[in-house]
Every structure is written in C-alpha cells, then in structure tokens.
Amino acid sequence: MAIAFADAFPYLLLWVALAFAMFPGRGVVGSAFIALSLAAAVVAGIVAWAGLAVLVLFAGSCMAAVRRELPTALRAPAWGAVVILAVALAAHQVPWIHNVLVLDGVSVSASAARYTLYWNYDKGFAGVVLYSVCVQPQGSVQWRRASLATGAIALTTLVLVGLAATAAGFVAWDPKWPAILGVWVPANLLLTCVAEETFFRGILQRHLGRFLRGRVPVPALAALLVGAVAFGVAHFAGGTTYVLLATLAGVGYGAAYHVTGRVEAGILVHFLLNLSHLVLFTYPFVG
C-alpha cells in the first residue's frame, strides 16, 4: 500500500486547498493551491494535457456560473457545463486523467467481494472546485446546535441504513480494524464524501430548493427527496438494493444539510456511515 510521493502530492495539495476554502476570505489562497495541485498532477502523469484543458474548462465554467453580474445568457450554459463536466469527472469518463490505483482486489472481509481502490483525482478535483467556487460562502450557523443536530442525524442514519443493509443481505456484522484504513480514510473523505455531498447537497438540493419556492407546498422537503433519489440512482452500478440503500442514506445526508445549512454536515454524516460500514460490517458487500 506504499504510494509514491509524486503520486500523493497532488491529492495533498487538494486537501490544503479545501482547508483554506472552508474559511471566509481565504478563497484566493485556496485557488492557488488548486492550481498547484493541478500542476503537480500534470508533472506526475496523472493528468495529461488534454485532461488539463478539461479541468481548466470545468473550473472556468464554475467561476462564470456564480458571477451574478453576468447575463443569464452566459450563466445558464456555464451551469450546464458545470453539471455535465462534474458528472463526467465523477464517473471517470474523461480519458486523459489517470487515477492512481492504490488497492487491487484485496480481501477486507472473509465473506466479501474483493475490493479495489483508486485515488480518483478527477472526482476529487471536481469536488474541491465545486466547494470552493460554487458552494462557498455559506450562511452562518450556530455551531453547537448544528453539531448536536448532525450527531443525532448521523446516529439515526447509521442505525437505519445498517439495519436495512443487513436485513437485505447486502452486508453482515463483521467488526474489525482493517489494514487499509490509512489509504482508505483520506480517499473516502476527500474523493467520495466531499465530492458527492458538494454536488448533491451543495448544488442540487440547495438550488432546487430555491427554485421550488412558491411552486410546491414544501420546497425544502421536495429538494431533499429529489437529491436523495438522485444520489441513489447515481449508484445504479451496484444494483437495485444498493440504489435503495444509497437513497435511504441520501435522506440522512440531506437532512443534515437542511437542518444546518452547511454542506460539511452532510459530508460528516456520509463519512461516518461509510466508516462504520468498513469497520463494523462486511466490506464492500457480501460476495
């Protein structure tokens, strides 16, 4: 599980960029680290020159989409490009980006299917740029209340999804402390949870909720449910059971975002569920 420093460095810079983006007034510094990460990825061979053009186009589209002084005739296609490219990057459909293979067909649980892990630079880059440019700044929040609410939602989501997954035979009780944690945690938190919650909650749920105001009786609930269903459908490759479980989990992530108004709450609930799956249940699923 040793990873060359040149391969790991672009991801480390994405972490730094995300950390700066979380604090108001540090967006310029965060953007500089995003650019440095992209340069490091090119040097490491993770991103080819054609891939660089796609990622720069994506970042430029994000910046244009949020510029309210621009006319709608420009912002609308920019948002369209953001959504299309974000989906393409998350689905690894840009051929000029070579994600780093970290684990290849390892056995995490005795009764489970083999597990392969990539550090997906395409998805991670998209998530950090979306968070930095299209989600921030977010509204102020009372952190103690938000923390309590997020904790309660996380516990409820973990219990409900865990029970449902076990009842469906998707996983089984299998507590352990797996050796892959060191490479799994940073990958899952940054490249999965940040990327997915930024898109489904920070972009889809937030903007859909605003659009539905005055059009449906409970716009926030409608946006939450649409976001959860979209999140579930995005996991169609795992089969019907996986889609249903992901939709249930998406309701929990969306609730955390709705109650707190912060994408970070959804990210935390998402990561805690994924971590409990790895540590407490068959991973990735019963083989």
Side-chain angles (χ1 to χ4, degrees):
M1 291 189 293
I3 303 169
F5 178 77
D7 287 338
F9 191 50
Y11 300 90
L12 175 61
L13 291 173
L14 283 182
W15 270 110
V16 176
L18 179 67
F20 276 106
M22 293 179 69
F23 298 96
R26 304 292 178 87
V28 174
V29 180
S31 297
F33 275 101
I34 291 174
L36 288 173
S37 171
L38 195 50
V42 171
V43 171
I46 296 172
V47 176
W49 288 109
L52 175 64
V54 174
L55 294 180
V56 170
L57 175 61
F58 174 72
S61 299
C62 288
M63 290 186 283
V66 299
R67 294 284 295 273
R68 296 189 177 183
E69 65 270 24
L70 293 178
T72 303
L74 292 178
R75 293 184 66 202
W79 272 117
V82 168
V83 172
I84 292 171
L85 289 175
V87 171
L89 290 168
H92 321 304
Q93 294 302 303
V94 178
W96 310 288
I97 300 174
H98 312 293
N99 296 312
V100 178
L101 177 62
V102 179
L103 300 172
D104 188 10
V106 301
S107 177
V108 181
S109 297
S111 59
R114 294 279 177 167
Y115 177 62
T116 296
L117 173 66
Y118 283 88
W119 278 8
N120 295 314
Y121 188 82
D122 43 13
K123 189 173 180 179
F125 180 89
V128 173
V129 170
L130 283 175
Y131 178 89
S132 304
V133 178
C134 299
V135 171
Q136 292 288 66
Q138 300 178 83
S140 60
V141 65
Q142 208 289 321
W143 286 105
R144 183 175 184 277
R145 179 183 176 187
S147 298
L148 292 173
T150 301
I153 292 170
L155 181 60
T156 303
T157 303
L158 266 60
V159 171
L160 291 179
V161 176
L163 289 174
T166 304
F170 190 76
V171 298
W173 183 250
D174 181 31
K176 56 192 171 301
W177 193 256
I180 68 170
L181 271 174
V183 294
W184 182 92
V185 166
N188 195 265
L189 182 54
L190 178 68
L191 310 178
T192 297
C193 299
V194 169
E196 293 179 1
E197 292 309 302
T198 297
F199 182 81
F200 286 101
R201 257 54 68 176
I203 304 297
L204 178 58
Q205 184 173 332
R206 179 170 69 165
H207 288 281
L208 183 59
R210 291 174 178 173
F211 174 78
L212 292 176
R213 287 175 188 168
R215 292 180 169 89
V216 299
V218 280
L221 177 60
L224 189 159
L225 294 177
V226 170
V229 171
F231 179 75
V233 172
H235 293 77
F236 71 92
T240 302
T241 300
Y242 196 32
V243 168
L244 295 174
L245 291 172
T247 300
L248 178 59
V251 172
Y253 310 154
Y257 173 72
H258 171 69
V259 169
T260 64
R262 303 287 302 197
V263 170
E264 295 88 351
I267 292 171
L268 180 60
V269 177
H270 193 158
F271 176 69
L272 289 176
L273 177 62
N274 289 354
L275 182 62
S276 70
H277 177 192
L278 173 65
V279 174
L280 298 177
F281 297 93
T282 308
Y283 197 88
F285 52 84
V286 173

